[in-house]
Amino acid sequence: MGKKADIKLIREDGLRHDGRKPDELRPIKMEVGVLNNANGSALVEFGKTKVLAAVYGPRELHPRHMSLPDRAVIRCRYHMAPFSTEERKSPAPSRREIELSKVIREALEPVIFSELYPRATIDIFIEVLQADGGTRTTGITAASLALADAGIPIRDLVAGVAVGKVDGVLVLDIDQVEDEFGEADMPVAMMPTLGKITLLQLNGVLTPEEFKEALRLAEKGIKEIYRLQREALRKRYVEVSLEE
Amino acid sequence: MSTETVKGKVYVENRQLVLPGELLAEGDVQAQSPYIYKVGEKYYSAIIGLASVEDNKLNIIPLEGFYLPKVGDLVIGLIIDVGITNWIVDIRAPYRAIMNASDALNRQFNPIQDDLRKYFDVGDYVLAKISLFDRVHNPVLTIKDRGLGKIVHGRIVEIQVSKVPRVIGKKRTMINMLMNETGCDIVVAQNGRIWINCSNKELEDILILALKKIEAEAHTTGLTDRTRNFIREEKARRGL
C-alpha cells in the first residue's frame, strides 16, 4: 500500500486503477445454501471482497425478556474475520463492527415480515472472509439471499452497492483503495422491485447534483446485482417443472 | 405471458418458480397464501416457492421453510423437559410446545404423588396433535385421540418441513407406494418427522434411503416411479 501519490485512481485513458469503467461493477459471484447447519446461508463475492452470511430462525429467544409480543426480534452480527484484512484484525467486535451490525440490521428489518413470528427471534450472522471495500453492502446482499434461503417471508431481496467519488469522478462499486484515497463513499441498499431505499450513508462531500447522479448510478448497479441474486436463487431449482 | 381473468391479471404460470419480491398478479385475484402480500393493487411473493394458479385463485407452495404450528396438525414431538404438571416438547417450530399432564393421563392426577417422568421422560418421542396455538400462546399438545401417544418402537426420520407434502404425494400416492413396497408402517407428521416401523432392519434401511432420496429430489418430476425402482433395486441387491 502506498500513499495517494503512488496510485492513480483514474488513469489517463479514463479507466479506474483496476481497469474498470467508472460505472462498472466488480466481477460478482453468488452462491446460496453453502452451510449445512444454518437455516439459510449465502456466500457473495464482489471482486476481492468475500462475505458469508448465515440465518437462523425464527427460533425461541433467550433471554426471554428481550422478546417482543407483536413481532420477532431481528438480531444481526457483522464481523470481520481476523484474516480478512492485510494486517490481522482483532477478533473482538470493534466499535465499527457494532455500528455496522446495527446499520445492516436496519437495512434488513423493513423487508422481513417479522410480525408473523411474535416472541421469536431471527438471527443474522455476517462474516467478512476477505475485505476489499464495500463489505457492508456485500453483507446486506448476502444476508438477504440467506433470508430467502431460510424460507423467511421477505418483501423483496435487498441488494446493495457503494458509489464513490475519486479524482472528481463518480464511480460505482468502490474497492478498498478507492475508498481510502477517494473523496466520497456512499453505500446504498434497496428493495429493487418496490423501489425503496433501506440504507443510505454518505461519507465525504458531494454536491446536490453529484448526489443525484451517484444515487442514479447506485440504482443501476443494484438492478444488476438484483438480477444476479435472482439467478443465484433460481440456480438451485433448475429442474423445477411440472409434477404428476 | 399474463392470463386475463374476469378483472385481475395473473403474471405467473402454474408451477412456475417464484422468488421473494416477484410480481404475481394485479387487480381482482384471490390470494390464498400467507406468503403473498399486497401493495396497492399488486400481489407479490414473499418466499421461494412454486406458484399455483387456478382461475383467479393464487397460491404459493413453499420450497424452503420451517414448521409453523397449526391447530389440528399431527406432530411428532421430542420431550425436552419435565415440569410439575406438564412436559416441554420440541416440535421443530419457532416455539416450544407444552403438553399438560391432565391432557396426557386418562385420570385425575396429583402433582404431589405423581412423578411425570414415569410417563414421559426427556428424550421420548410422542405422537400428538396441536390443540391450541395462537400469537400469544405457545402451542399446546394433546394425545387424547386414537393412535396418539408415546412412540415406543420403530424409528424417527427427520426431513425438511417443506418436503413433507412430497413424501405424502398427491392423494397419498407416494406414501402408499412406500408402504406397499416395503411393508412398513409410516406416519408422516406435519413437522417433518416421520415415524417408521418395519419388520426387519434391511427394509428399514431401504426406506430411510428412499425417504432421503425423496427429500433431495423433491422438486423433480417422476419421483414416485424413480423411488419405486430404487426400492426394488435395493431389495434385489440385498436379496429380499
Side-chain angles (χ1 to χ4, degrees), chain A residues 17-235:
Chain A
H17 75 100
D18 56 357
R20 279 188 287 158
K21 282 185 233 123
D23 63 346
E24 199 178 323
L25 292 164
R26 285 176 281 184
I28 295 173
K29 272 210 274 188
M30 296 182 189
E31 207 183 333
V32 181
V34 289
L35 302 176
N36 245 337
N37 293 345
N39 298 116
S41 59
L43 179 66
V44 176
E45 297 176 22
F46 280 27
K48 284 187 214 140
T49 296
K50 289 187 190 182
V51 179
L52 184 67
V55 167
Y56 290 82
R59 62 181 179 183
E60 278 216 342
L61 176 57
H62 292 286
R64 197 71 71 77
H65 69 84
M66 273 172 68
S67 67
L68 301 171
D70 60 335
R71 64 193 151 92
V73 172
I74 293 156
R75 296 189 292 193
C76 179
R77 186 183 89 139
Y78 164 96
H79 183 249
M80 288 175 96
F83 50 81
S84 64
T85 46
E86 232 156 75
E87 221 164 274
R88 178 182 181 272
K89 188 212 149 279
S90 157
S94 64
R95 214 184 148 85
R96 173 179 173 273
E97 284 168 296
I98 294 166
E99 181 186 323
L100 279 185
S101 300
K102 171 190 176 283
V103 164
I104 292 172
R105 190 190 75 226
E106 286 172 354
L108 294 170
E109 260 173 348
V111 299
I112 303 172
F113 284 94
S114 57
E115 62 274 18
L116 291 175
Y117 312 105
R119 299 173 290 122
T121 179
I122 295 167
D123 291 321
I124 303 164
F125 296 93
I126 295 168
E127 192 72 18
V128 179
L129 303 179
Q130 190 168 284
D132 186 33
T135 56
R136 79 192 67 183
T137 47
T138 312
I140 290 170
T141 307
S144 81
L145 282 175
L147 282 167
D149 181 44
I152 293 169
I154 47 177
R155 285 179 176 81
D156 198 356
L157 295 167
V158 189
V161 77
V163 180
K165 186 176 154 194
V166 293
D167 284 351
V169 183
L170 287 173
V171 292
L172 184 62
D173 193 14
I174 55 170
D175 62 19
Q176 189 71 48
V177 176
E178 288 170 324
D179 185 20
E180 233 167 282
F181 304 113
E183 292 115 65
D185 164 26
M186 186 172 93
V188 184
M190 284 181 76
M191 306 187 233
T193 311
L194 304 173
K196 292 200 166 134
I197 293 170
T198 67
L199 171 91
L200 180 60
Q201 293 180 298
L202 174 57
N203 190 355
V205 182
L206 292 179
T207 65
E209 284 67 40
E210 278 174 337
F211 171 75
K212 277 180 201 152
E213 176 58 20
L215 200 58
R216 205 193 53 75
L217 200 58
E219 219 176 312
K220 179 178 163 262
I222 283 169
K223 288 252 160 75
E224 176 61 16
I225 294 164
Y226 185 60
R227 193 184 63 73
L228 293 168
Q229 278 181 313
R230 296 173 54 92
E231 215 169 76
L233 284 176
R234 247 171 229 285
K235 217 170 68 192

Side-chain angles (χ1 to χ4, degrees), chain B residues 75-78 91-92 125 127 151 153-161 163-164 167 178 182 184-198 201 203-216:
Chain B
V75 295
I76 292 173
L78 177 65
I91 54 169
R92 299 177 87 204
Y125 279 108
L127 185 65
I151 294 174
H153 43 68
R155 286 182 82 171
I156 304 288
V157 182
E158 283 194 1
I159 60 159
Q160 285 173 46
V161 175
K163 311 287 158 68
V164 166
V167 173
L178 290 172
T182 61
C184 302
D185 271 338
I186 306 171
V187 177
V188 183
Q190 291 304 314
N191 63 340
R193 287 201 178 114
I194 301 169
W195 175 25
I196 59 173
N197 211 345
C198 296
K201 179 86 177 59
L203 285 171
E204 192 177 85
D205 288 349
I206 294 171
L207 181 56
I208 292 171
L209 287 174
L211 287 169
K212 289 289 164 193
K213 185 179 162 73
I214 296 168
E215 185 188 15

Side-chain angles (χ1 to χ4, degrees), chain A residues 39 57-62 64 69-71 113-120 145 148-157 193-194 196 226 229-231 233-244, chain B residues 14-23 34-35 37 39 44-48 50 63-66 68 93-96 133-139 166 169-170 173-174 218-225:
Chain A
N39 298 116
R59 62 181 179 183
E60 278 216 342
L61 176 57
H62 292 286
R64 197 71 71 77
D70 60 335
R71 64 193 151 92
F113 284 94
S114 57
E115 62 274 18
L116 291 175
Y117 312 105
R119 299 173 290 122
L145 282 175
D149 181 44
I152 293 169
I154 47 177
R155 285 179 176 81
D156 198 356
L157 295 167
T193 311
L194 304 173
K196 292 200 166 134
Y226 185 60
Q229 278 181 313
R230 296 173 54 92
E231 215 169 76
L233 284 176
R234 247 171 229 285
K235 217 170 68 192
R236 297 195 75 199
Y237 304 98
V238 245
E239 289 163 307
V240 173
S241 52
L242 295 152
E243 179 61 36
E244 282 147 66
Chain B
N14 202 20
R15 283 272 161 188
Q16 186 184 322
L17 179 71
V18 295
L19 301 174
E22 189 150 331
L23 180 63
Y35 304 118
Y37 71 97
V39 178
Y44 297 92
S45 167
I47 48 157
I48 307 174
L50 293 179
L63 283 177
E64 302 289 343
F66 43 88
L68 199 64
Y95 312 97
R96 35 170 67 173
F133 174 63
D134 59 37
R135 283 179 67 85
V136 284
H137 297 103
N138 276 18
R166 206 68 178 86
K170 266 206 175 147
T173 44
M174 183 71 89
H219 56 282
T220 59
T221 53
L223 189 55
T224 312
D225 291 334

